Amino acid sequence: MSVGEGLGAQLDDYLRRWPEEAATVELFRGLLAGHGPGANAYVRERLEGHFTASAWLVDRTGTRVLLTHHRKLGRWLQLGGHADGDEDLARVALTEAREESGLPGLVVEPGLFDLDRHWIPERGEVPGHWHYDARFVVRAGVDERFVVSAESLDLAWRDIGGIANDADADASLRRMAGKWGLAGGSGALIRPSGTFSR
């Protein structure tokens, strides 16, 4: 599956790998089905809900992930942001990872790694709304020296095994750390047969 594969095909592939997440996939399919003129699901102005993209940004060894202490939400989370009209969510995830980390040599891997629909509380004049977040594995290169952007209070490399067992960590971070562990820390996409593929 190519990085730029359409979201519908990516959702089909994701459901084959994670059948227990069928309800979440259906939420994403519902938003995608309603996408069109006057109801662009890829722009933040669609307050009924819109697509965002995030990066599970791992180091070369696959043992650590780069997290942001999110300035607006005040929690440690993966890097990511709004699609702002771009329908290639893998590209959005890569762009956000570059902009928010300042890391050179980042590479996004094809295929959805995780899906998460979460509520964003009201902030100022923007009412509360749903984010439909598509997560992709992004790999760091040799240089791991990050730059903290205006989006973050701080950035930190965190041990993935520690996140999986941290009751105080965000639930979706724990889920992604668990998925990473199932793939043996390789980022390989899990198939129903129990085999892995790249």
Side-chain angles (χ1 to χ4, degrees):
M1 178 168 294
S2 70
V3 170
E5 188 89 40
L7 183 56
Q10 290 182 345
L11 290 171
D12 291 343
D13 180 68
Y14 186 84
L15 184 59
R16 282 191 294 273
R17 289 183 282 118
W18 301 104
E20 67 278 11
E21 294 186 35
T24 300
V25 171
E26 285 309 308
L27 290 171
F28 276 69
R29 282 182 173 155
L31 183 62
L32 186 61
H35 170 66
N40 189 340
Y42 292 88
V43 297
R44 67 181 78 200
E45 291 78 15
R46 189 181 188 280
L47 292 177
E48 299 88 344
H50 48 261
F51 292 119
T52 58
S54 294
W56 181 251
L57 201 171
V58 295
D59 68 358
R60 287 184 303 146
T61 68
T63 60
R64 296 178 301 151
V65 62
L66 187 65
L67 299 181
T68 171
H69 191 189
H70 198 280
R71 183 173 295 280
K72 291 181 180 178
L73 299 176
R75 295 183 292 162
W76 285 98
L77 300 168
Q78 73 285 347
L79 305 176
H82 289 90
D84 289 329
D86 191 343
E87 296 185 16
D88 186 340
L89 295 179
R91 181 172 54 213
V92 173
L94 180 60
T95 299
E96 292 291 330
R98 287 175 176 155
E99 291 177 354
E100 293 183 23
S101 73
L103 289 172
L106 298 181
V107 177
V108 65
E109 297 197 350
L112 288 165
F113 175 62
D114 188 61
L115 294 173
D116 191 73
R117 185 182 82 138
H118 52 267
W119 182 252
I120 300 297
E122 178 181 353
R123 183 173 174 82
E125 296 182 5
V126 180
H129 56 279
W130 291 102
H131 277 182
Y132 291 71
D133 197 39
R135 282 92 181 263
F136 296 85
V137 173
V138 175
R139 290 191 180 267
V142 176
D143 189 347
E144 296 182 353
R145 295 171 296 174
F146 54 75
V147 177
V148 179
S149 76
E151 300 283 329
S152 305
L153 296 170
D154 200 4
L155 295 176
W157 287 105
R158 294 288 170 87
D159 176 72
I160 296 173
I163 294 170
N165 300 310
D166 183 355
D168 293 327
D170 181 82
S172 74
L173 282 181
R174 292 197 309 271
R175 182 179 66 242
M176 288 188 287
K179 284 180 176 179
W180 192 254
L182 285 174
S186 68
L189 298 180
I190 298 172
R191 301 288 176 184
S193 65
T195 60
F196 301 112
S197 70
R198 293 297 271 164

